[in-house]
């Protein structure tokens, strides 16, 4: 039961952070490009990689690890929103923006996870 609560509270916090941060980014840019989701997903990829990378040197309590990885970062990043926003761009014939959203989400996302793991292992 504690594991479920850890994931649930992490998910609650992650969802709120995603809402606040992506909204803040959108308010700064006033763009029709889904930059808020992109920033959140890249940051979340880096943070998740960092958390995983630190497990080489630090032992997390299993419930804390569930809270941080599955709960917090799982809810903070969002593949479904990324997919929806990309499809919405395609439906209005913004093919270049759709391509850029896919390209700049996937490739840098992988790089962010890798860099986060490297930094986490280095600490």
């Amino acid at each position: 039961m504690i594991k479920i609560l850890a994931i649930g509270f992490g998910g609650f916090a992650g969802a709120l952070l995603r809402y606040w941060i992506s909204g803040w980014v959108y308010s700064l840019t006033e763009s029709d490009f889904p930059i808020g989701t992109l920033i959140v997903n890249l940051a979340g990829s880096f943070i998740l990689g960092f958390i995983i990378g630190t497990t080489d040197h630090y032992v997390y309590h299993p419930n804390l690890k569930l809270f941080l990885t599955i709960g917090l970062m799982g809810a903070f990043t969002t593949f479904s929103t990324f997919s929806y926003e990309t499809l919405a761009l395609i439906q209005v014939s913004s093919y270049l923006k759709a391509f850029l959203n896919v390209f700049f989400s996937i490739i840098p996302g992988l790089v962010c996870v890798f860099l986060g793991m490297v930094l986490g292992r280095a600490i």
Side-chain angles (χ1 to χ4, degrees):
M1 183 63 165
I2 297 296
K3 291 179 181 182
I4 292 170
L5 290 174
I7 293 167
F9 285 127
F12 176 77
L16 289 177
L17 282 172
R18 179 181 72 227
Y19 175 77
W20 289 330
I21 292 172
S22 65
W24 176 69
V25 170
Y26 283 124
S27 73
L28 293 177
T29 62
E30 299 179 8
S31 172
D32 59 347
F33 184 80
I35 189 74
T37 303
L38 175 64
I39 296 297
V40 162
N41 284 340
L42 293 178
S45 295
F46 178 81
I47 294 166
L48 180 62
F50 180 82
I51 292 166
I52 298 301
T54 60
T55 61
D56 289 349
H57 300 290
Y58 303 101
V59 177
Y60 289 94
H61 187 282
N63 293 333
L64 176 60
K65 190 172 180 182
L66 290 173
F67 172 86
L68 293 172
T69 58
I70 296 172
L72 188 69
M73 288 298 100
F76 183 66
T77 60
T78 172
F79 188 76
S80 59
T81 301
F82 156 74
S83 299
Y84 168 75
E85 289 173 341
T86 303
L87 180 62
L89 290 169
I90 291 169
Q91 288 175 331
V92 296
S93 301
S94 292
Y95 302 114
L96 178 60
K97 286 182 182 177
F99 170 79
L100 291 173
N101 193 38
V102 170
F103 181 82
F104 285 116
S105 293
I106 302 298
I107 303 302
L110 292 170
V111 170
C112 285
V113 169
F114 173 75
L115 292 176
M117 289 176 70
V118 168
L119 181 62
R121 289 179 180 150
I123 290 180

